[in-house]
Amino acid sequence: MLYLAEVQKQKGGLLGGGSKTELKLLACQRSDQNWSTVLEQTIGAEEASKLNDGALVLVELSPNRQVKRIQEAGRPLVNILHNFSRQMEKFKLKEDEIDQWKQSLMFQVQELNRREMDMESRWEQLQHLEHEVQDLEKQRQEVKSSREQIKQLRTEVERNRQELEGAWQHLRGEQRRLDDLQAYSPQGTVVDEAQTKAITDLLNRLSGGVGSTVGLRENLNFAFELLEQQQATLNPHWQQLEQQQSLAQQQQGEVEQLSQSWRDHQTEFQQFQNSLHQQIAELQLTTATLKNKQGLSDILKEKLGIQQDLYQQTQALVAMADNLVFGQQVDVEVLENLPLEELQKIVQDLHNKLEIDSSFVQDQEQELNYKEQGIKDLEAKIQQVSGEELKNLELELAEEKDLYRMLNKSLRPQRNNLLRQEQTFKQHQKILLQRQGHFVTYSPGYNTINLDSILSQIDNQRQQNFQELQKLENEIQQLSADIEIKLGEIDHQTQELESKHQELKSMEEQLLHLQTATAECWGRVNLYQQALQPIQDCLDSLRDKLHTISDSLTHVQEIGDSQRQTISEMRQTIQSLMNLPDVLVS
């Protein structure tokens, strides 16, 4: 199992003999991204004797609490913090996305409520139309009933016409017989009383049959009245149909006009929105440039602070003795009295530890150089991109700068410790060489240092960085002023865009409402027309048939009048024949 631990060294005697190295367990890894604290526990670990006291390490322990592997915790901790920062950014993005979903769901609920109200209104209109259709169905049934009555009248008229035609044929036969009698009467033919009675009865029957068209005429007039009543019932519906059709045509024109106006406003809104997006992109680019320059300014300020401290410390060193010794002074008398083999072993141990720590510090320095180069590459990319990619690169740049500062800060005590170890090693080495009989001289690069040139170089670099910082601050001030102006313009245009959006949305709702009303109006027109037209066609057909029956009845009436006249003449002829004297046939 992997643990985070702190190196603790307990020193023994004066010469470092009997020292003990332990690891204080601080946290335990439960999973890849899960760490938990543990109770303070210490375990012996001589493998960590080459590490500095207080250093943080990652140690892997076996189930029986034996050390399997030890590594420096600096870089892994930086990676863990880096991953934690990324996870926090992802959580924040997820929260923003959840908020957007909540707003979207709220808008959808409002839209569903509005549509539900529209559906209820349309349902009421449909119920009203159903009632009207039921009324029209009743009228259609009445027309159908009238049609049946007219059909019965027509059948009765046809039957009467056939009876009248038969009577008329019979009358013609009798008339022919009468003509024959009149032709033989001068020669002595006698019409007896029985024949006269039969002819009279036949004439009476014919007279009664001819007068039966009066009842048919009354029924026909009643059918005409019923038909006109049905037409009078339909006429208001036809007028309402014409009004609805006129209203639908008027609303259709308004829909087309409003639709064209909406498209023009939408085009204008899109152009205005594109212009605003372009200005926002320019503002983001300017803001990114400002952040980069501010980052450079912070780095320069930090660098100036470091140079100022270094300059002051160097001045203090110049004021001290010519020979500068780093770290603690060793006890020369004790070292000179040690056995030579023991002193050689101490020097070798110091040399080995110095090489290990120096290699580790060099790796960290190389990692720091990589981070610095990566920051420069990101800054170069930011100058060439915009939009969403620019935001991602800015976040990545901020993370890399934080990692750079953390790594640089964690490396400072290790640099100082390395300098102290180097000084201690050289002091022990010098004493060892002296005891071995070698002549040792003080190296100018080690004990005596020419600090005047260093002070001059530090001052020159400080002046250059200060001038560059002033230039950056002037540019930052100018960019900040430009951003303020652009922010004001964008705020104004955003408000104007929101106003246009509300106007466009209101126009769209009005257009949708008008389209819905127009569609419903056309629906009523089509429904009225589909319901009224068959009834009207039926009434027109019935009217034509009634007029045909009326013409036929008029013709029958004329024939009947003619027949009455003929019957009257025949009756007079028979009467005259009955008044003739009796003549015997010779």
Side-chain angles (χ1 to χ4, degrees):
M1 186 173 290
L2 192 63
Y3 288 86
L4 176 65
E6 179 185 0
V7 177
Q8 293 183 347
K9 291 187 176 182
Q10 298 178 1
K11 294 182 179 181
L14 181 64
L15 299 179
S19 62
K20 183 180 180 182
T21 303
E22 294 180 343
L23 294 178
K24 180 182 179 182
L25 302 182
L26 302 177
C28 176
Q29 185 183 24
R30 302 300 181 184
S31 62
D32 291 341
Q33 302 295 332
N34 186 11
W35 289 78
S36 61
T37 58
V38 297
L39 297 176
E40 293 187 1
Q41 302 178 18
T42 57
I43 59 174
E46 293 300 328
E47 296 86 346
S49 60
K50 297 180 180 181
L51 299 176
N52 296 328
D53 186 20
L56 293 177
V57 295
L58 291 176
V59 56
E60 185 177 356
L61 299 181
S62 63
N64 56 359
R65 311 290 287 180
Q66 295 296 323
V67 177
K68 296 173 62 178
R69 183 171 58 90
I70 297 177
Q71 62 174 348
E72 289 284 344
R75 187 170 182 179
L77 282 178
V78 171
N79 293 331
I80 291 173
L81 292 175
H82 180 66
N83 294 330
F84 178 75
S85 177
R86 287 185 178 274
Q87 290 293 331
M88 292 300 294
E89 291 293 334
K90 290 181 180 179
F91 290 152
K92 185 177 180 182
L93 292 175
K94 289 293 183 183
E95 290 179 355
D96 295 339
E97 186 177 355
I98 291 172
D99 292 337
Q100 293 177 1
W101 275 107
K102 287 182 180 179
Q103 294 179 0
S104 176
L105 289 175
M106 186 180 297
F107 292 150
Q108 291 179 7
V109 169
Q110 294 176 356
E111 183 66 19
L112 287 175
N113 292 333
R114 186 183 67 80
R115 291 186 179 181
E116 185 178 359
M117 295 176 63
D118 292 341
M119 291 296 293
E120 291 178 356
S121 175
R122 293 181 184 178
W123 176 251
E124 293 177 356
Q125 293 178 358
L126 286 175
Q127 289 181 339
H128 179 68
L129 289 175
E130 287 180 357
H131 291 312
E132 293 182 351
V133 170
Q134 291 176 0
D135 295 338
L136 291 176
E137 183 65 22
K138 291 180 181 178
Q139 294 178 5
R140 191 179 69 82
Q141 294 294 334
E142 293 177 358
V143 170
K144 185 177 180 180
S145 177
S146 301
R147 189 174 183 179
E148 295 293 334
Q149 293 178 3
I150 292 171
K151 185 177 180 180
Q152 294 176 1
L153 288 174
R154 186 176 182 180
T155 303
E156 186 177 355
V157 169
E158 182 66 22
R159 186 177 68 254
N160 291 334
R161 187 185 66 77
Q162 291 177 358
E163 292 178 356
L164 187 60
E165 185 69 23
W168 180 247
Q169 293 293 335
H170 187 68
L171 180 60
R172 286 179 180 175
E174 295 297 329
Q175 188 176 5
R176 284 194 298 271
R177 290 178 61 191
L178 183 59
D179 290 339
D180 293 339
L181 288 174
Q182 289 178 351
Y184 289 106
S185 62
Q187 299 177 1
T189 304
V190 178
V191 180
D192 58 8
E193 184 177 357
Q195 292 175 344
T196 303
K197 185 177 179 181
I199 292 172
T200 302
D201 292 339
L202 181 60
L203 291 175
N204 291 331
R205 285 173 59 191
L206 290 173
S207 299
V210 171
S212 62
T213 60
V214 176
L216 292 175
R217 175 64 66 181
E218 291 178 356
N219 290 331
L220 185 63
N221 291 335
F222 176 74
F224 271 114
E225 291 178 359
L226 183 61
L227 183 65
E228 293 301 326
Q229 288 178 2
Q230 296 295 329
Q231 185 64 50
T233 303
L234 284 180
N235 287 335
H237 293 285
W238 280 110
Q239 293 176 359
Q240 187 175 3
L241 174 62
E242 293 177 357
Q243 293 176 359
Q244 291 291 332
Q245 190 171 8
S246 176
L247 178 61
Q249 292 175 353
Q250 180 182 357
Q251 289 181 351
Q252 187 66 35
E254 294 178 358
V255 166
E256 294 176 356
Q257 182 179 1
L258 185 60
S259 179
Q260 182 63 37
S261 177
W262 179 79
R263 286 193 293 270
D264 295 339
H265 280 74
Q266 189 179 28
T267 303
E268 182 182 358
F269 174 80
Q270 190 66 37
Q271 293 175 354
F272 196 85
Q273 189 178 31
N274 293 335
S275 176
L276 181 59
H277 287 168
Q278 184 177 0
Q279 290 188 1
I280 291 175
E282 293 177 356
L283 176 62
Q284 290 176 346
L285 182 60
T286 305
T287 304
T289 305
L290 177 61
K291 288 182 178 179
N292 293 333
K293 292 185 179 297
Q294 288 177 344
L296 291 175
S297 176
D298 293 338
I299 293 174
L300 282 176
K301 289 180 180 178
E302 184 178 359
K303 191 174 181 180
L304 281 173
I306 294 173
Q307 290 176 347
Q308 181 66 26
D309 294 339
L310 182 60
Y311 186 80
Q312 293 177 356
Q313 291 176 6
T314 306
Q315 282 184 331
L317 290 175
V318 170
M320 294 171 63
D322 293 336
N323 294 332
L324 179 63
V325 179
F326 294 95
Q328 297 179 353
Q329 295 288 336
V330 298
D331 193 342
V332 178
E333 183 179 355
V334 174
L335 294 178
E336 289 179 349
N337 293 326
L338 280 176
L340 186 60
E341 291 80 4
E342 186 177 351
L343 181 59
Q344 288 177 349
K345 185 178 182 304
I346 293 174
V347 172
Q348 186 63 36
D349 291 340
L350 290 175
H351 181 265
N352 294 336
K353 191 174 186 306
L354 180 62
E355 286 183 349
I356 294 173
D357 293 344
S358 177
S359 176
F360 176 75
V361 172
Q362 287 178 2
D363 292 339
Q364 295 296 317
E365 292 286 355
Q366 187 176 4
E367 180 69 20
L368 195 63
N369 293 332
Y370 289 155
K371 291 290 183 184
E372 186 176 2
Q373 184 62 37
I375 291 173
K376 292 181 180 179
D377 294 339
L378 287 175
E379 291 174 348
K381 288 181 181 179
I382 286 175
Q383 301 296 331
Q384 300 175 359
V385 299
S386 61
E388 188 67 24
E389 187 177 0
L390 176 62
K391 294 181 180 179
N392 296 331
L393 288 177
E394 288 177 352
L395 290 175
E396 188 175 356
L397 178 63
E399 292 176 358
E400 291 296 329
K401 287 183 177 179
D402 291 339
L403 290 175
Y404 178 84
R405 284 192 289 268
M406 291 173 59
L407 189 59
N408 187 30
K409 186 176 181 180
S410 64
L411 194 58
R412 288 176 186 171
Q414 297 178 12
R415 294 190 187 118
N416 297 332
N417 184 45
L418 185 63
L419 289 175
R420 287 193 297 269
Q421 290 182 16
E422 184 179 3
Q423 179 66 29
T424 303
F425 168 72
K426 289 182 178 181
Q427 290 177 356
H428 282 73
Q429 187 182 35
K430 182 185 69 172
I431 295 173
L432 177 62
L433 292 174
Q434 288 177 352
R435 292 186 59 182
Q436 289 177 347
H438 298 285
F439 180 73
V440 180
T441 60
Y442 290 99
S443 174
Y446 167 65
N447 286 331
T448 59
I449 303 174
N450 187 6
L451 299 179
D452 293 333
S453 60
I454 296 177
L455 284 173
S456 178
Q457 292 177 4
I458 294 173
D459 188 58
N460 291 333
Q461 291 181 359
R462 189 178 59 177
Q463 293 297 328
Q464 292 176 2
N465 292 332
F466 183 74
Q467 293 176 1
E468 187 176 355
L469 178 61
Q470 285 184 337
K471 182 179 178 181
L472 273 176
E473 289 180 347
N474 292 332
E475 293 176 356
I476 289 172
Q477 186 177 4
Q478 183 64 35
L479 287 174
S480 299
D482 294 341
I483 289 175
E484 290 295 331
I485 295 174
K486 289 182 179 180
L487 280 175
E489 295 176 354
I490 289 175
D491 289 340
H492 177 71
Q493 291 186 3
T494 302
Q495 293 177 0
E496 187 175 355
L497 182 66
E498 182 65 23
S499 176
K500 289 182 179 295
H501 180 263
Q502 293 297 330
E503 182 180 357
L504 187 64
K505 186 176 180 181
S506 175
M507 188 177 295
E508 184 178 2
E509 292 177 354
Q510 184 180 359
L511 177 61
L512 180 61
H513 179 72
L514 187 57
Q515 287 176 341
T516 303
T518 304
E520 292 175 354
C521 191
W522 278 116
R524 288 194 294 268
V525 169
N526 295 330
L527 183 61
Y528 267 111
Q529 192 168 6
Q530 292 175 2
L532 290 177
Q533 192 62 46
I535 299 175
Q536 186 64 49
D537 294 340
C538 183
L539 290 179
D540 293 339
S541 177
L542 289 176
R543 186 179 287 106
D544 294 338
K545 292 179 180 179
L546 287 176
H547 280 298
T548 302
I549 294 172
S550 179
D551 294 340
S552 300
L553 191 60
T554 302
H555 180 66
V556 170
Q557 185 68 37
E558 291 176 354
I559 294 174
D561 293 339
S562 175
Q563 289 176 354
R564 288 192 195 93
Q565 184 67 29
T566 304
I567 291 170
S568 178
E569 292 176 355
M570 291 177 65
R571 185 179 284 111
Q572 291 176 2
T573 302
I574 293 171
Q575 188 69 33
S576 63
L577 289 174
M578 293 177 65
N579 293 329
L580 289 176
D582 296 335
V583 179
L584 297 176
V585 178
S586 57

